[in-house]
Amino acid sequence: VSSLDPSLADDPQVVALVGRAVRREQAAFAELYDRYLDRVYRYVFYRTGNRTDAEDLTEQTFLQAWTAIERFRWQGKPFLAWLYAVAHNLVIDWRRRSAPSQSLDDDERPIDVESTSAARALGQWIDAELLADAIKRLTPEQQQVIILKFIDGFDTACIARVMDKREGTVRALQLRALQRLRRHLERQGEGMAI
Amino acid sequence: MTDMRAFDDDLLLAEALERTLVQRGSTAGGTPELTGLLTLARTLEASARGVAPSAEFRAAARERLVRRMGPVVSASRLGVAPVVSASPLRAPWVAGQPRRGLRPVVDRIALWSARLAAGIATLSLAGAAAVNASASALPGEPLYAIKQAGEALAVQAAYGDEARQQVLLRQADTRLDETAWLLEQGRDTEAAATALRYDEAVDRAAAASPPAEAMETTLQVDRARLTELLQRAPLPARGGLERALTATERGLARAKAARGAEPAAPSEPPQPRPPEKIQPAGGAVELDGDEAPAAVASDDQIDVRQRRQAEGEAHAAPVGAEHAAASSEAHQAEIDERRQVAVDDGEVGSRGTSQAVATPRASGADALRGANPPPGNKPPDPRAPRNPPVPRGRP
């Protein structure tokens, strides 16, 4: 069986809807919108850190997807991965426009492994917006792993397929992303305590 | 030596984290760091449950999307409110037409009927989500009954015979869509039964009003589609499809006779539709290379500092086979984070390459780009870049 077989990549109903959307059937694309709006929104929200930009970029994602849908081809990945790719690009552009220096790349401060302040703080005051604010400071690839794994609930094997990586690489990315998130949140928690 | 030890520690921690996440196990007995990371992971999962776009945004964005997509498909098929017509109580396709000499009393009855229908439609908005969800339901699925109820309501609410005819023709189209889906899923018997229901819808449409040119056009398209479906339909489905095709021919003959173009007679040979670009399960995927987008270099997107860091990591990597592979991936992961997938307005594809970060493996920011060829030793497919999105940084 071909690895590009759509039925291996996605739900049959989605495959049928996508087939119709590729033929420019608006009704089919509208159904895809209904089906995937929430997930695309969450994906964007956790990467932008605020609802206004998330809504704006989510809408743009679907508009661009409609524009480009005729060129969509199955690559052994769920259709949602393609929507995320469109959203990913928009987020990258948005980051460049808004705050290019938000990455944690410069932060090489070691984690205090004995500290439990982050764990304590997490249960007390972290909400989705704070998490989103922290996630958006990760590198794009770390963001993707975190969102696909913990927000979307994909397992590591699926993420590896979507990202064209080995599972070991995904696990490494996951670890580093969580470490950075924790470090950031720990700092925030300390700031609040002060 | 220190680097190697740190690398091993990270590897072990990553494995332990993954194991505990998969098993959803307790953090008791774990290191403080592992405990903290698991707590964070659980917090992330919990936080996602409350994140959703507002209802206002959902509706408004959908409406804007539908407007941007264009007026080709009627609003009712998209599950959105119909476009406001010249007369708000008349369906858009009727509003522009002169009324045909109805007496005032009949007119008033029709007006109140329309108001009643509008009222029913308003009430039905409460179940809009269910109706929306049912739009793609197939026969035998739980939501299909809702879909049928919505269709019955649409026929009832249609104002005038011509409008009713159009509603019925659209429903016939829907039966054809369903037939095609069912065939794709291998549900041949149900596909045949659904094709028979297309037959019914066409007959009802023909009976609703004298066949008009629009009906003829619709049926010509249907005929081509049915012919195509018949060509690849398995035996159990063929009977229903052949009857549907007969109904189409019958309707076409009536339409032609009605407009006096030619006497009711066997119709012209069917025009097969071009092959589907995306084939059903098991089929090969068409990958034409004629739309490959232009490549644009983007070296400037990778800053010098990161390249240095990446090079440093690569040099510091352990020499062992496993370590080398893992390090290369980690290296690649870091580098690829900087890349962007190219999805431009109307064009999705590669924007170019970055020699500075070229690596032997498929790049990482391809993460969600769905564009990489399958792993293997094949040379890069020159047609692949037409698939979105493709990195800027690959040769």
Side-chain angles (χ1 to χ4, degrees):
Chain A
V1 180
S2 164
S3 64
L4 302 182
D5 182 346
S7 67
L8 296 179
D10 223 323
D11 176 72
Q13 279 203 13
V14 173
V15 173
L17 281 173
V18 170
R20 291 168 56 209
V22 167
R23 299 194 297 271
R24 309 298 290 171
E25 277 195 41
Q26 298 167 9
F29 191 78
E31 285 183 44
L32 290 169
Y33 169 90
D34 291 335
R35 187 181 280 257
Y36 290 123
L37 175 69
D38 284 6
R39 296 180 78 173
V40 170
Y41 174 83
R42 271 200 296 269
Y43 178 83
V44 176
F45 171 76
Y46 278 102
R47 297 193 62 182
T48 58
N50 73 81
R51 292 176 191 273
T52 307
D53 287 324
E55 289 183 350
D56 186 34
L57 293 176
T58 299
E59 188 170 350
Q60 285 184 47
T61 298
F62 281 98
L63 288 172
Q64 285 209 2
W66 171 247
T67 306
I69 188 84
E70 282 176 296
R71 293 165 182 247
F72 173 83
R73 296 292 181 275
W74 291 103
Q75 296 283 319
K77 300 164 190 173
F79 177 70
L80 182 60
W82 184 75
L83 285 178
Y84 280 167
V86 178
H88 168 86
N89 286 352
L90 289 166
V91 170
I92 293 287
D93 286 344
W94 171 85
R95 283 183 72 171
R96 285 188 180 136
R97 283 198 309 270
S98 54
S101 62
Q102 285 182 339
S103 167
L104 288 183
D105 286 350
D106 292 329
D107 183 5
E108 294 302 329
R109 196 170 63 134
I111 297 175
D112 175 7
V113 295
E114 299 303 323
S115 166
T116 54
S117 64
R120 280 200 306 273
L122 286 172
Q124 295 167 5
W125 55 267
I126 286 180
D127 63 15
E129 301 223 358
L130 286 168
L131 281 172
D133 183 62
I135 289 172
K136 79 177 184 186
R137 293 160 192 273
L138 301 176
T139 60
E141 208 161 48
Q142 289 173 345
Q143 291 176 9
Q144 287 167 9
V145 169
I146 289 292
I147 292 169
L148 291 175
K149 182 70 173 277
F150 301 111
I151 308 301
D152 255 338
F154 289 175
D155 62 26
T156 302
C158 183
I159 296 171
R161 192 157 44 90
V162 166
M163 296 181 72
D164 280 334
K165 291 192 176 302
R166 295 183 188 181
E167 291 187 32
T169 308
V170 173
R171 286 194 288 272
L173 275 167
Q174 174 179 273
L175 173 67
R176 296 183 69 170
L178 283 174
Q179 284 175 332
R180 283 189 168 186
L181 266 183
R182 183 172 179 238
R183 193 157 52 219
H184 174 75
L185 293 168
E186 191 174 20
R187 268 207 312 272
Q188 293 289 309
E190 286 165 3
M192 285 190 69
I194 290 168
Chain B
M1 213 45 202
T2 308
D3 285 344
M4 282 185 69
R5 196 173 303 117
F7 183 86
D8 285 340
D9 289 346
D10 277 358
L11 207 61
L12 288 172
L13 185 57
E15 296 295 336
L17 177 64
E18 176 71 9
R19 210 166 33 246
T20 318
L21 285 170
V22 168
Q23 295 167 354
R24 303 198 72 77
S26 160
T27 60
T31 65
E33 180 170 16
L34 183 61
T35 304
L37 296 177
L38 284 167
T39 306
L40 177 55
R42 302 286 176 243
T43 307
L44 282 164
E45 287 169 348
S47 83
R49 291 181 205 122
V51 176
S54 67
E56 294 79 16
F57 167 73
R58 184 188 303 275
R62 191 180 203 283
E63 195 182 331
R64 285 191 290 270
L65 175 69
V66 169
R67 270 207 305 270
R68 287 284 293 273
M69 285 197 292
V72 179
V73 174
S74 75
S76 63
R77 292 194 70 186
L78 294 173
V80 297
V83 177
V84 177
S85 65
S87 167
L89 291 178
R90 302 179 74 197
W93 53 82
V94 182
Q97 300 172 4
R99 297 191 180 204
R100 291 177 291 179
L102 295 176
R103 288 171 301 161
V105 173
V106 176
D107 223 16
R108 286 166 68 90
I109 291 171
L111 182 67
W112 281 106
S113 299
R115 284 178 178 165
L116 180 62
I120 293 168
T122 304
L123 286 175
S124 73
L125 286 177
V131 173
N132 262 347
S134 74
S136 60
L138 292 176
E141 294 173 358
L143 289 177
Y144 196 70
I146 296 174
K147 184 177 183 175
Q148 284 181 305
E151 288 183 350
L153 183 66
V155 174
Q156 295 288 325
Y159 180 73
D161 295 341
E162 289 172 32
R164 191 169 301 113
Q165 183 179 66
Q166 291 195 31
V167 169
L168 287 163
L169 282 173
R170 278 198 297 277
Q171 291 179 4
D173 266 356
T174 304
R175 298 292 87 79
L176 268 190
D177 288 344
E178 291 166 358
T179 303
W181 288 351
L182 290 165
L183 283 174
E184 283 181 8
Q185 294 179 13
R187 295 161 66 183
D188 302 335
T189 312
E190 289 160 288
T194 307
L196 289 177
R197 294 186 54 224
Y198 164 85
D199 185 3
E200 277 173 33
V202 169
D203 282 346
R204 284 181 69 193
S209 174
E213 195 175 343
M215 176 171 168
E216 189 180 344
T217 307
T218 303
L219 291 178
Q220 280 172 345
V221 173
D222 288 355
R223 183 176 58 185
R225 194 168 179 198
L226 275 165
T227 305
E228 183 205 356
L229 287 175
L230 255 174
Q231 283 171 354
R232 56 190 167 97
L235 194 60
R238 294 187 70 85
L241 287 167
E242 279 162 1
R243 276 192 59 178
L245 188 57
T246 305
T248 310
E249 300 284 10
R250 199 164 53 233
L252 272 170
R254 286 179 68 174
K256 284 179 179 172
R259 71 178 170 88
E262 56 187 74
S267 54
E268 59 197 41
Q271 303 294 316
R273 301 172 75 192
E276 307 290 352
K277 289 186 175 180
I278 289 186
Q279 300 183 6
V285 177
E286 180 192 54
L287 284 171
D288 292 335
D290 53 356
E291 295 175 48
V296 177
S298 61
D299 286 357
D300 56 336
Q301 291 163 11
I302 312 295
D303 65 274
V304 174
R305 181 178 53 77
Q306 181 156 24
R307 268 182 273 157
R308 282 182 186 152
Q309 182 186 356
E311 286 162 9
E313 286 178 9
H315 292 152
V319 183
E322 280 298 312
H323 287 170
S327 173
S328 170
E329 284 168 355
H331 175 186
Q332 184 61 45
E334 285 297 310
I335 294 169
D336 287 339
E337 285 165 1
R338 292 300 182 139
R339 294 191 183 150
Q340 177 184 1
V341 181
V343 180
D344 272 344
D345 203 10
E347 183 174 54
V348 181
S350 171
R351 284 188 181 173
T353 64
S354 171
Q355 298 301 327
V357 294
T359 64
R361 285 193 66 239
S363 71
D366 302 350
L368 301 172
R369 68 178 58 115
N372 288 331
N377 296 325
K378 290 183 182 176
D381 185 345
R383 298 171 299 181
R386 69 178 297 201
N387 294 283
V390 178
R392 291 180 176 180
R394 297 290 300 169

